[in-house]
Amino acid sequence: MTTLSDVNGEMTQAAVEARHFTLLLTASRRGARLARLLTERQLNAWGCPSGDAPHVVAELAANAVAHGRVPGRDFRLTLRLDAAGTLRIEVTDARGDRIPRIQDPGEHEESGRGLRIVAGCAERWGVAGAPSGCKTVWAELAPGRAEP
């Protein structure tokens, strides 16, 4: 016979296995900064060391603001932490027609290195289409990369 405490125990275990956080932010420099700060706070609340995650979020959010912005549209930040400790970061913006690529900027260029940082920190990263002509740029950080 299954008791209510058995069910509660199973539900508690399921809640620990996967954690999810998502938020819409303004497509502005302030929104990009807020994405990084909220990532640090959320990972701290989950008891997960933030490690490289704030850097990855900062780069993806900055790209969403600089290259994926459409006036009047926000960008979405999503964090998913699975039971194994893998963190998936997703940033969705309104410009599905602008697919990011790793560039080789000139020595004196001030921009163009963000995705190199993401690729260096993440186990994997990529781009996926999203509804309404949007795109999601995602990165997965392995448990070992989540620690400072």
Side-chain angles (χ1 to χ4, degrees), residues 53-66:
H55 303 300
V56 171
V57 168
E59 293 299 336
L60 296 182
N63 282 351
V65 169

Side-chain angles (χ1 to χ4, degrees), residues 43-59:
L43 293 177
N44 186 44
W46 287 342
C48 176
S50 60
D52 291 330
H55 303 300
V56 171
V57 168
E59 293 299 336

